Amino acid sequence: MSTTAYHHGSLAVQQKLGLQAAAAHIAPSIRPGIRPVAAAFLEAQPMLVLAAAAPDGRVWASLLTGTPGFARATGPHTVSLAATPGPGDPLAEALRTETPVGTLALDPRTRRRMRLNGTARPGARGLLVEAEQVFANCPKYLQKRELYGSGPAGPDAPAVHRGDALTEAQLAAVRAADTFFVATVGPDGADASHRGGNPGFVRAEGPRELVWRDYPGNAMFLTLGNLETDDRAGLLFLDWENGTTLQLSGRAETVYRSEERFVRFRVDSVVETPAASPLRWSAPEYSPANPTTP
């Protein structure tokens, strides 16, 4: 089957790991249009992860939230978002003009997720995204959570904390995380992806150095493929209980060791925003697919 859904970076990783056939088999699931089932799923979600590069070249992952329906398909290739990043968000300026984006709609309640990548531009409601790649991912490593309410609306100008390295409190939050999101860029544009595991699956080896094992997935290697061509990356950690977001931008490389592979991330910039999300989620029911953390 055709592997034209993948650029040369993803193809290189697939070949290195001997998974070309598996990747080719799943390639037709990457579609340019938004099918009705995808549109219905998107419209039911109260949050969306968005990946893009800022004007200074740094890559970030940001969180958008709203009442279900804030993200909705308005045509077979177009999504309207009634939301934009807040004034303290590192992607706020980038999204004032047309820019490549990756988006991830994730529903912890049902362990379902969908990626939609394309180009964003300002729209009447907030943003318009022209879809170029739309596809679902399997539920592996997704922690189940219930949405039990919303916290108070954050201030118009939230107290954003910036730095070039992680504080002790931020390091503790990273080490306790069971989920984070990855933004990457490559020849085909931007991409937003999910990573999950038991707490401790992300190792903080210092205030500017994070490492995680890349667990077996669907063999597409869109994230690792982008990193083969461009090492810029952004991470987003969400405090599911109080809505605080921790956004990191830096450089990442994949390290291959025998039958395993790891991603090493070097932190260049940190943005922490208390109560950035109004959503409040329950404690997790961990995915049965999660490997045991050492």
Side-chain angles (χ1 to χ4, degrees):
M1 291 188 180
S2 170
T3 55
T4 54
Y6 309 118
H7 62 66
H8 62 276
S10 295
L11 292 172
V13 178
Q14 293 162 14
Q15 183 176 13
K16 184 180 298 186
L17 297 172
L19 293 170
Q20 304 99 307
H25 179 74
I26 202 171
S29 67
I30 302 178
R31 300 170 179 265
I34 306 167
R35 293 184 295 171
V37 65
F41 174 74
L42 184 66
E43 194 163 345
Q45 304 315 312
M47 70 176 189
L48 192 74
V49 177
L50 188 146
D56 64 2
R58 288 179 174 170
V59 171
W60 298 90
S62 295
L63 186 71
L64 301 181
T65 63
T67 302
F70 88 99
R72 58 183 174 86
T74 54
H77 299 279
T78 309
V79 170
S80 173
L81 302 176
T84 55
D89 190 282
L91 288 181
E93 184 180 350
L95 293 167
R96 295 190 186 111
T97 58
E98 187 171 289
T99 189
V101 298
T103 71
L104 171 68
L106 179 144
D107 189 350
R109 299 164 293 188
T110 59
R111 288 196 171 114
R112 294 174 63 198
R113 53 182 160 168
M114 181 187 82
R115 282 149 87 170
L116 186 150
N117 300 339
T119 303
R121 67 179 188 274
R125 301 174 75 217
L127 294 172
L128 286 175
V129 180
E130 291 294 327
E132 297 163 12
Q133 293 182 323
V134 184
F135 55 101
N137 283 145
C138 73
K140 263 187 175 181
Y141 319 123
L142 288 176
Q143 326 311 342
K144 188 174 184 180
R145 285 179 161 91
E146 298 301 328
L147 181 61
Y148 64 82
S150 297
D156 292 336
V160 178
H161 307 290
R162 303 179 187 274
D164 58 8
L166 293 160
T167 66
E168 286 300 322
Q170 291 166 345
L171 284 168
V174 166
R175 291 174 176 134
D178 58 60
T179 299
F180 69 96
F181 303 94
V182 188
T184 55
V185 293
D188 292 342
D191 181 72
S193 185
H194 159 277
R195 292 293 183 270
N198 291 334
F201 85 110
V202 185
R203 299 200 313 269
E205 298 187 344
R208 299 189 66 186
E209 196 88 14
L210 305 182
V211 179
W212 63 89
R213 181 183 159 204
D214 190 72
Y215 295 150
N218 54 22
M220 288 180 171
F221 297 112
L222 301 187
T223 299
L224 298 194
N226 279 350
L227 292 177
E228 284 284 306
T229 67
D230 191 323
D231 67 353
R232 292 176 295 164
L235 309 185
L236 168 66
F237 292 86
L238 171 64
D239 188 314
W240 299 88
E241 294 184 2
N242 64 29
T244 294
T245 56
L246 179 63
Q247 296 166 275
L248 313 179
S249 185
R251 306 274 176 168
E253 66 170 335
T254 308
V255 179
Y256 297 88
R257 298 178 188 165
S258 185
E259 298 300 314
E260 296 182 330
R261 56 191 175 269
F262 297 82
V263 178
R264 184 172 293 274
F265 180 83
R266 175 75 174 174
V267 177
D268 290 332
S269 187
V270 179
V271 176
E272 182 180 357
T273 309
S277 169
L279 306 177
R280 300 293 179 264
W281 299 86
S282 69
E285 178 185 325
Y286 296 120
S287 168
N290 290 349
T292 303
T293 3

